[in-house]
């Protein structure tokens, strides 16, 4: 992985229905998706050769495109099969998968009613770095300047490329100050999420997390809420104001890439890496590695 640019790697990429050499998976510079952010994507992980929640990710990809007003011309089944086949052809076991769909080049202006829709799927090795001693220190988060937009300002349910503009800006600003990531508030000033992961807090044995009413309701977020409830831990989805962070004991992030990542600091607020966080890290790790029944066996 050491620094080899993503356009110079070996292998194959599924591109508009065909497996093609990695280096040939190019699009024209006059693509609507590039200029006007008419582009949606997914981030998925495979553990031990099994894609975790593959069907859910594909459903969200289709739904994300729908939010941007376009239809991906491959069915969910075709996409799920393509992902499986890609992993096999690439000989990948622990991997990251990146499906991406975008409007093509027929029209180059704000309007792109008839542009063809393209879909590509790439996958690369992503070993699971589950080194508890490292991760249990917790990561440090800055407070972001940018806020998650009002649902009347942007199609927040979509995992759309355009929504990541403020995430990259916020993450760069945080990294520039030595932080790992940034906590974003929403347009009302309520706690929302990190730049690519959802956030949870713990106090008095209960878990508190913001309602996903203007940011992505992560697949990992929903999974971890289920794991906590399975253990009889109460999970409260509610409005959380930034000042409340003072009183929380523990904090963690969830996401396909982040998995369950403890947080030790958000701006002036400090957290312990406590038992509930550790338990959920372990439960999530066990779940993603559990042999999922094959669809035929269900
Ligand atoms: N919020 C944002 C902005 C993200 O990019 C992600 C990662 N996809 C998440 C939350 C977590 O989503 P998931 O658990 O589905 O990966």
């Amino acid at each position: 992985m050491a620094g080899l640019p993503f356009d110079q790697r070996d292998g194959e990429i599924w591109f508009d229905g065909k497996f093609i050499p990695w280096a040939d998976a190019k699009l024209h510079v006059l693509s609507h998706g590039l200029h006007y952010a008419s582009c949606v994507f997914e981030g998925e992980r495979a553990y031990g050769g099994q894609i975790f929640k593959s069907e859910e990710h594909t459903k969200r990809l289709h739904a994300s495109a729908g939010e941007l007003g376009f239809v991906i011309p491959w069915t969910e089944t075709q996409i799920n099969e393509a992902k499986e086949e890609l992993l096999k052809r690439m000989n990948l076991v622990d991997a990251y998968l990146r499906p991406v769909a975008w409007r093509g080049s027929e029209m180059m202006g704000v309007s792109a009613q008839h542009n063809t829709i393209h879909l590509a799927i790439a996958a690369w090795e992503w070993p699971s770095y589950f080194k508890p001693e490292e991760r249990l220190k917790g990561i440090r988060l800055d407070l972001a300047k940018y806020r998650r937009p009002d649902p009347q300002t942007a199609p927040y349910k979509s995992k759309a490329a355009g929504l990541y503009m403020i995430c990259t800006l916020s993450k760069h600003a945080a990294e520039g100050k030595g932080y790992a990531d940034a906590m974003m508030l929403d347009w009302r000033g309520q706690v929302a999420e990190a730049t690519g992961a959802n956030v949870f807090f713990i106090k008095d044995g209960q878990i508190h997390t913001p309602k996903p009413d203007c940011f992505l309701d992560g697949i990992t977020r929903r999974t971890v809420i289920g794991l906590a409830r399975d253990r009889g831990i109460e999970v409260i989805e509610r409005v959380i104001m930034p000042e409340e962070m003072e009183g929380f004991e523990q904090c963690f992030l969830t996401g396909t890439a982040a998995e369950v990542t403890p947080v030790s600091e958000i701006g002036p607020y400090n957290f312990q890496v406590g038992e509930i966080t550790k338990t959920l890290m372990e439960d999530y790790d066990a779940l993603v590695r559990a042999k999922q029944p094959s669809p035929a066996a269900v």
Side-chain angles (χ1 to χ4, degrees), residues 41-44 57 60 96 148 159 163-164 167 184 193-199 215-223 254-259 284:
F41 65 98
E42 271 305 317
E44 314 180 26
H57 280 283
R60 185 168 72 183
Y96 186 83
R148 303 304 310 173
K159 192 166 164 60
L163 290 168
Y164 284 86
C167 298
M184 303 181 82
E193 60 168 353
T195 63
N198 294 115
V199 67
F215 57 84
L216 206 66
D217 180 8
I219 291 169
T220 321
R221 176 187 185 277
R222 297 200 295 262
T223 303
T254 63
T256 297
E259 300 177 309
Y284 186 76

Side-chain angles (χ1 to χ4, degrees), residues 21-237:
W22 188 287
D24 297 346
K26 293 178 177 172
L27 63 153
H28 198 271
V29 69
L30 295 177
S31 293
H32 198 271
L34 177 63
H35 295 241
Y36 299 96
S38 52
C39 173
V40 296
F41 65 98
E42 271 305 317
E44 314 180 26
R45 266 171 98 155
Y47 297 88
Q50 301 241 23
I51 305 169
F52 185 63
K53 307 247 174 191
S54 177
E55 289 84 3
E56 260 182 77
H57 280 283
T58 301
K59 273 194 199 320
R60 185 168 72 183
L61 184 71
H62 266 227
S64 289
E67 292 280 327
L68 296 203
F70 65 85
V71 176
I72 296 174
W74 284 276
T75 64
E76 289 179 23
T77 307
Q78 286 173 316
I79 296 172
N80 292 333
E81 286 173 1
K83 289 189 287 189
E84 297 291 337
E85 174 74 15
L86 180 63
L87 280 190
K88 285 201 196 99
R89 291 171 83 113
M90 294 281 290
N91 235 342
L92 291 167
V93 178
D94 288 319
Y96 186 83
L97 290 101
R98 170 55 58 88
V100 57
W102 67 96
R103 282 194 173 104
S105 305
E106 288 80 0
M107 289 174 75
M108 185 39 64
V110 173
S111 175
Q113 302 275 10
H114 305 297
N115 284 25
T116 45
I117 305 303
H118 300 273
L119 175 67
I121 310 171
W124 54 90
E125 193 186 355
W126 192 334
S128 197
Y129 295 111
F130 196 72
K131 289 192 199 121
E133 62 289 352
E134 264 302 301
R135 295 184 66 200
L136 285 175
K137 287 186 197 145
I139 59 166
R140 297 173 59 243
L141 267 56
D142 189 16
L143 283 166
K145 178 179 85 174
Y146 287 101
R147 293 183 170 200
R148 303 304 310 173
D150 180 338
Q152 296 190 75
T153 308
Y156 77 91
K157 285 188 183 148
S158 178
K159 192 166 164 60
L163 290 168
Y164 284 86
M165 174 177 60
I166 54 174
C167 298
T168 298
L169 284 167
S170 301
K171 182 128 177 160
H172 283 184
E175 287 173 344
K177 291 192 245 166
Y179 290 97
D181 198 354
M183 176 54 50
M184 303 181 82
L185 304 181
D186 71 15
W187 91 102
R188 297 160 295 201
Q190 301 170 6
V191 173
E193 60 168 353
T195 63
N198 294 115
V199 67
F200 290 78
F201 300 97
I202 299 167
K203 189 186 177 181
D204 298 333
Q206 291 177 323
I207 299 182
H208 303 257
T209 192
K211 276 192 196 153
D213 61 3
C214 64
F215 57 84
L216 206 66
D217 180 8
I219 291 169
T220 321
R221 176 187 185 277
R222 297 200 295 262
T223 303
V224 169
I225 289 175
L227 289 171
R229 290 186 175 148
D230 284 350
R231 285 203 172 257
I233 304 167
E234 195 177 342
V235 182
I236 306 157
E237 297 180 70

